[in-house]
């Protein structure tokens, strides 16, 4: 079973990614996700570059992006991601009231997705612009 | 296979829900989802009351709520819901640039959810506050 | 892309399975699922034997089994399976009122599954007997 | 991370819901799911009202409804829901033999859902009534 | 909650399956999956016969089959199956470099599956042969 | 609803990615997936660079990688991806016999993933190395 690779034991290639994560996020150490991905330095570097690009504020702000990330993770039932992106969303300004409303929307969407499936509802012409 | 129930053929109970949807949303007719749910007036009424409550702006604005709904629907692959909530999110102000960023986040979250699963990454103590 | 294999074009091995399906179900022809699986006679035979064993009434009656099959198919969004097992459940006695209640339960379960995920609710000791 | 809200620490609004759950189910305390949802009294009240309505025996009896709930939870891999609705289904009369058959159907449906997807089987005209 | 059934406590019917698993795999004891399935001897026997048939090398070798099994388990987030088939794939020759590449493909597929869903990309005529 | 962006109508930025896809794969035009992603040139470029890196043969050959991609897509029920990666896997050497065995493994894994969930099977100590 993979074990975490800590900074002290990491290759120069892995350390370079860890250093960039720490500098970008202003944190003293990277979280477990990156320590496990470090077993595959190519995937580690690509995933970090992708996450950095995708999560940078643009048309959507950081808080909205983290809340979308959390909504997907809750839908998929990924415990690690719920914990880590729940923390990240709160750090980016999600209040507990916002979290409650996010969860209500996620729950409702998962319910109505199945109602639409089960009743085999065809897409309205008005939505096919 | 269920068929849509149109206003002209609906019971008074169903019409009352259709009328409230039309008035609340300011639309001339309800979309197919509700016409199919009309086969079960109890579920129709409950689902509409729940959706109305959940989607009303509160700590989160309407656009953010619709984007979270869309992110869940994309993750689940519900074609009807992607079409209908994609339209609703755009109506609530989601620009094409925002849609592009939403899709990028949804894709990335689905990817890293599986990386966290497969590497069996344990939750960091820092996330267990 | 795989195409259906019809009885007239099938090998003796495939015909034997088709004959057993038709005799067991009392139908003049097998449905598309089996005509596509016929590309792999080993999987065709194993799947049919398994389905036959699993769906035979036992502690649960045929209608309940078909409704469980349908609930899973709706959750997974498998359109073919929703159509075929929706038909099978109705043939086994599922009324439209039962279908409506089944859909209500499936929707609610999909919603509360995500509420439990997102709030990271720990299992109660009382459920760990 | 959300923590459970116990009765002694709950607001009057939350206590009213807890009291109704306890009275309806005849239990001395609510299970963890409700104690976590209590962080959002609006979602707590709406979810309880919905669950109460949906799970009341109607065209389907309580045991069948709980088994459908369990089948969905197993498909989604929601550990909390598997534990809680497994207990509820047993309380409503699901024997171990019924549980075994339920699991066999759930497993088979998850398998054939993917066979139908992968072989891209089109819906039979006979299922499109 | 189901408990494992150990060899010493198993019926003759269950022992026969356990013996075949141990002989086929050359292991001193069966893993937990089979000890839990033993609560339902019919499902135990059918599942073992199916797994044995499906996982026997044929057009695909054992390592490739185990890696496909692992890819599905990671996608579904089944922790037990990730652990057991991760071990089985390694035993069948999957190197850590292969595991890293498998995970990269699984992550990418989960990402692009959602991009295709969300952009509602129609299947190219060239893929409909 | 997004529409495909064809080469003739594409920006220089998008054309550069399309040109690289065509050159790398030796095809006269890109498939629909890329024409839709072209609405977001940043995601288009990143996704193509990632796919190119991930799918290049390494410890795993191209055929195995495409089969893993297909297994994930079948599990998620992504029709576009099943069609496109089914074609890609066949182009990379997957025979129909291999496809049949792949589907059998995918079906079995989806079944046993749920059996493991539902019976709440704990991970064996032997798998925790």
């Amino acid at each position: 079973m993979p074990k975490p690779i800590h900074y002290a034991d990491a290759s120069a290639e892995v350390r370079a990614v860890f250093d960039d994560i720490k500098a970008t996020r202003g944190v003293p150490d990277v979280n477990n996700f990156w320590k496990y991905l470090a077993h595959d330095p190519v995937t580690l570097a690509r995933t970090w570059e992708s996450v950095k690009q995708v999560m940078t504020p643009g048309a959507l702000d950081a808080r909205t992006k983290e809340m979308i990330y959390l909504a997907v993770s809750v839908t998929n039932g990924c415990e690690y991601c719920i914990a880590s992106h729940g923390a990240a969303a709160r750090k980016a300004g999600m209040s507990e009231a916002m979290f409650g409303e996010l969860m209500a929307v996620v729950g409702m969407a998962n319910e109505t997705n199945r109602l639409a499936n089960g009743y085999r509802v065809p897409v309205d012409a008005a939505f096919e612009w």
Side-chain angles (χ1 to χ4, degrees), chain A:
Chain A
M1 201 176 73
K3 296 280 179 298
I5 294 180
H6 297 286
Y7 192 88
D9 307 314
S11 66
E13 190 182 2
V14 166
R15 283 187 180 188
V17 177
F18 281 14
D19 284 336
D20 192 42
I21 296 173
K22 294 194 283 185
T24 302
R25 297 187 165 175
V27 290
D29 194 10
V30 303
N31 52 302
N32 282 341
F33 180 73
W34 307 107
K35 292 179 185 172
Y36 279 74
L37 270 195
H39 284 277
D40 182 350
V42 173
T43 296
L44 173 72
R46 179 175 50 75
T47 303
W48 167 243
E49 288 304 321
S50 294
V51 165
K52 192 165 56 168
Q53 185 191 79
V54 167
M55 298 308 282
T56 296
L60 298 177
D61 56 39
R63 192 183 71 199
T64 303
K65 289 188 170 188
E66 285 292 350
M67 291 198 303
I68 292 169
Y69 219 118
L70 181 56
V72 170
S73 302
V74 168
T75 298
N76 286 330
C78 175
E79 190 181 8
Y80 183 83
C81 313
I82 292 168
S84 62
H85 287 279
R90 285 175 173 93
K91 196 173 165 185
M94 179 182 73
S95 66
E96 292 313 302
M98 289 175 185
F99 173 70
E101 296 192 8
L102 177 151
M103 284 304 303
V105 176
V106 168
M108 190 58 47
N110 272 289
E111 179 173 26
T112 60
N113 281 193
R114 272 62 184 207
L115 292 175
N117 286 345
Y119 280 94
R120 301 187 62 203
V121 186
V123 176
D124 299 75
F127 299 146
E128 303 285 15
W129 40 281

